[in-house]
């Protein structure tokens, strides 16, 4: 079996012989890592114990086969059971091949005793591994029950989530309707305010018209007075037009006189310019006379 981390807090392993997949959840990532290390440690220990057991069994089998082959090969050699006395006496009465067989037999006995000791130790380790396996199976069973419980809780949570999601969608739709209604109310409020402002303006205009209607007689009297004043002003305007005509004639006459005076002035200026030129030439002549003297 191989333990695989499928997420930060969940792992699973498969038993290919049983065609089963187990999963286990943890409270933290550290617990998951510790469990994975212990899982691998137990797996390695079980593999090592199995390998050692197989090696010991093969060694014992090989020794037994060698002993079985050596003993019947010398029928003329007397057996140790047929010789009475101590071991030294036995060795002294038998040949070197029998002594070799006896020493080999002792070595095999020692190996068998060591194998029995190892077998007991392996049985103890196997018992420990079986207990660990039982605890793991209990933990897996509990985990499976927890997974089923979590699945049920998850399904319940999903149903609640779906119900809440539908409720949220319904509330959002209601909120949209409320917002649209609020916008309509705001538009209606703005329209009412505009109408109220227009009504106030109309009332103000009506009040102004009433005030103007009150002062209409006064305005009519003032209008008649202004009409009289206008007639008087028109009469004065006719008189002023006559005066303006006389003044224009006087102005034209003055303008004619002014033109004549400008002509005479121009002639005088021309004569004056000639005189100035003559005086200038006379002065230059005097200057030349003064320089000659």
């Amino acid at each position: 079996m191989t333990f695989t981390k499928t997420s930060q807090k969940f792992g699973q392993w498969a038993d290919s012989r049983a065609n089963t997949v187990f999963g286990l959840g943890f409270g933290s990532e550290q617990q998951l890592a510790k469990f994975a290390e212990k899982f691998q440690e137990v797996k390695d220990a079980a593999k090592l114990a199995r390998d050692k057991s197989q090696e010991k069994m093969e060694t014992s089998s090989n020794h037994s086969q060698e002993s079985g082959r050596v003993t019947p090969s010398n029928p003329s050699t007397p057996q140790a059971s047929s010789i009475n006395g101590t071991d030294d006496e036995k060795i002294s009465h038998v040949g070197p091949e029998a002594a070799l067989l006896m020493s080999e037999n002792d070595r095999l006995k020692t190996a068998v005793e060591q194998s029995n000791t190892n077998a007991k130790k392996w049985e103890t380790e196997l018992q420990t591994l079986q207990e660990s396996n039982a605890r793991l199976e209990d933990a897996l069973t509990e985990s499976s029950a927890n997974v089923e419980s979590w699945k049920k809780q998850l399904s319940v949570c999903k149903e609640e989530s779906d119900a809440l999601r539908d409720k949220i969608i319904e509330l959002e739709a209601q909120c949209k309707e409320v917002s649209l209604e609020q916008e309509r109310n705001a538009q209606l409020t703005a329209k009412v305010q505009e109408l109220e402002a227009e009504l106030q303006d109309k009332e103000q205009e009506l009040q102004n018209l009433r005030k103007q209607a009150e002062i209409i007689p006064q305005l009519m009297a003032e209008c008649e007075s202004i009409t009289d004043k206008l007639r008087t002003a028109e009469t004065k305007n006719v008189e002023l037009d006559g005066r303006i005509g006389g003044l224009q004639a006087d102005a034209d006459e003055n303008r004619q006189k002014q033109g004549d005076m400008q002509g005479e002035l121009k002639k005088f200026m021309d004569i004056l310019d000639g005189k100035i030129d003559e005086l200038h030439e006379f002065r230059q002549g005097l200057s030349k006379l003064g320089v000659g003297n």
Side-chain angles (χ1 to χ4, degrees):
M1 295 188 296
T2 302
F3 183 76
T4 304
K5 296 179 181 179
T6 57
S7 66
Q8 292 182 352
K9 296 183 180 181
F10 194 84
Q12 66 181 14
W13 65 92
D15 188 353
S16 59
R17 293 175 299 178
N19 195 18
T20 306
V21 178
F22 302 94
L24 191 60
F26 297 87
S28 64
E29 187 176 0
Q30 291 77 10
Q31 293 179 356
L32 174 60
K34 186 176 180 181
F35 179 83
E37 292 176 0
K38 182 62 65 175
F39 189 95
Q40 188 64 32
E41 181 180 349
V42 172
K43 182 179 177 182
D44 295 339
K47 183 178 179 182
L48 181 60
R50 185 171 60 253
D51 294 340
K52 287 183 178 180
S53 177
Q54 290 178 356
E55 290 177 0
K56 295 296 182 180
M57 294 298 291
E58 289 175 357
T59 303
S60 300
S61 176
N62 292 331
H63 286 317
S64 298
Q65 290 176 1
E66 290 177 358
S67 177
R69 287 196 301 271
V70 171
T71 302
S73 63
N74 294 318
S76 60
T77 304
Q79 294 181 356
S81 61
S82 62
I83 300 174
N84 296 323
T86 62
D87 293 338
D88 295 335
E89 292 175 350
K90 292 177 182 179
I91 293 172
S92 63
H93 289 288
V94 298
E97 293 181 355
L100 180 61
L101 291 174
M102 291 178 67
S103 63
E104 183 67 23
N105 190 17
D106 293 336
R107 189 174 65 80
L108 289 174
K109 287 180 179 181
T110 304
V112 170
E113 291 176 355
Q114 183 67 28
S115 178
N116 292 330
T117 304
N118 293 332
K120 290 180 180 180
K121 182 173 70 173
W122 296 335
E123 287 178 358
T124 304
E125 292 180 357
L126 181 60
Q127 183 66 25
T128 304
L129 291 175
Q130 289 177 352
E131 292 177 356
S132 299
N133 191 19
R135 288 196 297 271
L136 289 174
E137 288 179 354
D138 294 337
L140 289 175
T141 304
E142 184 179 358
S143 176
S144 300
N146 291 332
V147 168
E148 293 297 330
S149 177
W150 294 339
K151 286 181 179 179
K152 292 180 181 179
Q153 293 179 2
L154 181 61
S155 62
V156 173
C157 291
K158 285 183 178 179
E159 292 177 357
E160 293 178 354
S161 178
D162 294 336
L164 290 174
R165 189 178 293 107
D166 296 336
K167 188 67 175 178
I168 289 171
I169 293 172
E170 183 180 357
L171 292 174
E172 288 179 351
Q174 292 179 0
C175 290
K176 288 181 180 179
E177 293 179 358
V178 171
S179 61
L180 292 174
E181 189 67 25
Q182 289 178 351
E183 290 179 358
R184 295 193 194 97
N185 291 333
Q187 292 176 358
L188 291 174
T189 303
K191 188 67 175 178
V192 169
Q193 291 177 354
E194 291 177 359
L195 294 174
E196 289 178 352
E198 291 180 359
L199 181 60
Q200 291 178 356
D201 295 336
K202 295 296 183 180
E203 290 179 353
Q204 186 66 32
E205 290 179 0
L206 182 59
Q207 291 178 359
N208 294 331
L209 291 173
R210 288 176 180 176
K211 290 180 180 179
Q212 291 176 3
E214 292 176 355
I215 61 174
I216 284 175
Q218 183 179 358
L219 291 174
M220 292 178 67
E222 291 179 357
C223 184
E224 290 177 357
S225 175
I226 290 170
T227 302
D228 295 337
K229 292 179 179 179
L230 181 60
R231 290 173 183 173
T232 304
E234 287 178 352
T235 303
K236 291 181 179 180
N237 191 14
V238 172
E239 293 177 356
L240 291 173
D241 288 336
R243 293 180 183 179
I244 288 170
L247 292 173
Q248 285 180 351
D250 294 337
D252 293 334
E253 185 178 357
N254 291 329
R255 196 178 292 111
Q256 184 67 31
K257 290 180 180 180
Q258 186 177 5
D260 295 338
M261 290 178 65
Q262 287 179 354
E264 293 178 358
L265 181 62
K266 185 175 181 181
K267 292 178 181 179
F268 178 74
M269 291 295 291
D270 293 335
I271 295 170
L272 183 61
D273 290 334
K275 296 296 181 181
I276 290 171
D277 292 336
E278 291 177 359
L279 289 174
H280 185 64
E281 291 176 356
F282 180 73
R283 184 175 178 281
Q284 288 180 352
L286 291 176
S287 297
K288 290 178 179 179
L289 290 174
V291 171
N293 294 329

